[in-house]
Amino acid sequence: MDEVAHIGDGPRTAVVIGAGVVGLSTAWFLQERGVEVTVVDRDDVATGASWGNAGWLSPGLAIPLNEPSVLRFGLRALLDPRAPLHVPATFDPGLWRFLLRFAKHCTWKSWEHAVSANLPLNTECLEAFDVLTANGVRAPTVEAPITAVFESAQHAAGLLHELRRLTGAGQAVDYTGISGTEVRAQLPQASGRIRAGVRLDGQRYVDPGAFVAALAESVRTRGGVIRKGFDVVELRPQRYAVTARSRSAETISASVAVLATGAWMGSLAKRWGVRVPVRAGRGYSFTVPTDEPIPGPVYLPDVRVACTPYRHGLRVAGTMEFRTPDAAPDNARIDAIIASARPFLDGVRWEERTDEWVGPRPVTHDGKPLIGAVRAPGVYVAGGHGMWGLTQGPITGRLLAEQITTGKRPEALREVDPLR
């Protein structure tokens, strides 16, 4: 599984901006190729979307957001503050321009283009996790099916239709439609309201915060430096180096710089020719105890809620809220998740919840991430994965490290060119 390579005349040092799963994976795979790395973050390791997400490693459900039904659903949701998709009434011209561009891409043709672009990442994503865990990242990935549950077979038909289209586009997905009786036999928490399900095999999950912390520790053990509280406000490419300047006027220089700041990427990346905007689609999560252990991840597609076994309880994650990444949490979103999920699950002690969290997922309007070189020499970006940053983070880091050290863009990154 070792991926040691010689970098020849490639870069000797790199500064990676962002200590989430994407940035740390890029740092780790750069180290495999002989590059000395410094990772900086304005806060600390895994303080953004990498900590509180559902923890799914789910290539079978890494479905682009711009599916046509999402547009119909989104238009209805605008009128309902309790809906899983929430756009608060605000005067933000940039947000409304983004949403109009997103709506334009909610067609089957654009969706299929996004599926094609994500296909190489989804095909190799689990193998990239195996490389990490076999070579010093001490955090387990757990193999388990994801069970999607529905009130009726008619409701399940929508997900089955998407999965058929996904497999038709070339992605391997092992899925089976099951009855409500079969769901309840496999899932003690399933309520009598559930009449149908879809079981996706070949998926995994992790404790996301613990995994990213272990990844950071591995980067340190291998000689990398991780600096918290370093808020980069400017990148200055020079002839043989790139200098990152912090808000407090500190600087770090390296042969190359990688911008992996998630939902905060836009302001710095735009200067270097990245025209695809990245907006914060904020998700909320919390932890609740259950009367019985939950055997594996559960998906509630009708209400857009993901549930995962987590530290002897259940992590519940959901909603897509378009606000600025640093906006204060809206407790009404937590209440909306509980109200929508409660009818489907029994034996969950909702009132005893802990670990309430909100984090910004970096969303692009066309369903494709941004991975690769920009116009400035020595500057690269990695982000815009939407809800699938954890699933696609390690493979993103591996492919980008290959491009940085060889000077040749992997074919897998052609469709996610940040200068498109």
Side-chain angles (χ1 to χ4, degrees):
M1 285 288 190
D2 290 326
E3 294 214 346
V4 175
H6 298 290
I7 65 172
D9 296 327
R12 300 291 177 179
T13 58
V15 57
V16 178
I17 304 156
V21 65
V22 174
L24 288 166
S25 294
T26 304
W28 195 95
F29 282 105
L30 283 170
Q31 289 177 311
E32 285 288 88
R33 291 174 168 270
V35 180
E36 296 180 13
V37 297
T38 299
V39 182
V40 301
D41 195 281
R42 67 173 199 159
D43 293 314
D44 204 345
V45 170
T47 51
S50 291
W51 186 86
N53 63 74
W56 292 3
L57 312 183
S58 50
L61 281 174
I63 301 171
L65 188 60
N66 58 319
E67 194 266 340
S69 68
V70 171
L71 179 58
R72 298 190 295 272
F73 173 81
L75 291 173
R76 294 195 302 271
L78 290 176
L79 304 176
D80 183 358
R82 300 166 299 174
L85 176 62
H86 181 54
V87 182
T90 181
F91 180 72
D92 184 345
L95 173 59
W96 292 106
R97 283 194 300 270
F98 171 85
L99 292 174
L100 287 172
R101 293 178 73 179
F102 174 79
K104 186 178 179 180
H105 281 83
C106 285
T107 66
W108 283 121
K109 184 177 180 180
S110 291
W111 184 86
E112 288 166 358
H113 285 164
V115 168
S116 177
N118 282 278
L119 182 59
L121 304 179
N122 293 335
T123 299
E124 299 186 23
C125 64
L126 296 181
E127 198 266 340
F129 272 93
D130 290 338
V131 170
L132 293 174
T133 57
N135 291 281
V137 178
R138 301 185 183 281
T141 68
V142 182
E143 294 190 22
I146 295 176
T147 305
V149 300
F150 302 88
E151 291 185 83
S152 69
Q154 183 179 7
H155 284 200
L159 178 59
L160 290 169
H161 177 66
E162 279 192 308
L163 293 172
R164 283 192 294 269
R165 279 187 169 269
L166 203 59
T167 56
Q171 183 163 322
V173 186
D174 184 2
Y175 65 94
T176 307
I178 56 179
S179 67
T181 301
E182 290 173 305
V183 171
R184 282 184 286 278
Q186 298 173 17
L187 179 66
Q189 288 80 11
S191 75
R193 186 167 176 171
I194 294 169
R195 296 284 189 270
V198 177
R199 176 187 169 110
L200 290 97
D201 290 295
Q203 314 301 300
R204 305 185 196 178
Y205 68 93
V206 296
D207 177 332
F211 186 89
V212 178
L215 179 56
E217 183 57 32
S218 182
V219 168
R220 291 190 184 100
T221 299
R222 291 146 59 97
V225 175
I226 300 177
R227 293 188 57 182
K228 62 182 180 179
F230 194 101
D231 186 7
V232 174
V233 294
E234 183 186 13
L235 287 176
R236 293 199 300 263
Q238 300 160 9
R239 188 173 181 182
Y240 297 111
V242 181
T243 299
R245 182 177 65 84
S246 76
R247 193 171 299 279
S248 60
E250 292 182 90
T251 60
I252 293 177
S253 295
S255 306
V256 296
V258 179
L259 189 60
T261 50
W264 293 271
M265 178 187 292
S267 58
L268 285 173
K270 185 177 180 180
R271 180 178 178 185
W272 307 117
V274 179
R275 297 177 296 176
V276 176
V278 176
R279 299 294 304 202
R282 306 201 318 164
Y284 287 72
S285 72
F286 53 89
T287 303
V288 285
T290 57
D291 293 342
E292 297 183 60
I294 186 166
V298 180
Y299 182 32
L300 311 177
D302 287 344
V303 293
R304 307 298 204 271
V305 171
C307 306
T308 313
Y310 183 74
R311 301 184 181 182
H312 308 294
L314 184 68
R315 170 167 282 181
V316 182
T319 205
M320 177 69 77
E321 177 192 54
F322 284 101
R323 289 183 187 266
T324 57
D326 294 312
D330 180 357
N331 291 333
R333 305 308 300 158
I334 297 283
D335 295 338
I337 292 172
I338 294 172
S340 63
R342 188 193 296 268
F344 293 93
L345 300 173
D346 294 335
V348 177
R349 302 200 291 274
W350 302 101
E351 289 72 23
E352 299 176 36
R353 63 186 179 274
T354 57
D355 296 334
E356 292 186 357
W357 172 90
V358 60
R361 296 166 295 201
V363 179
T364 62
H365 68 273
D366 60 5
K368 305 175 188 179
L370 304 165
I371 309 167
V374 299
R375 287 180 182 167
V379 178
Y380 300 82
V381 300
H385 298 83
M387 297 180 292
W388 310 111
L390 180 64
T391 296
Q392 297 178 342
I395 186 58
T396 292
R398 186 164 81 172
L399 290 167
L400 186 56
E402 177 184 340
Q403 179 176 359
I404 291 170
T405 55
T406 66
K408 299 177 181 179
R409 180 174 64 188
E411 180 62 22
L413 297 184
R414 184 172 61 86
E415 293 296 329
V416 296
D417 186 347
L419 300 180
R420 61 181 181 271

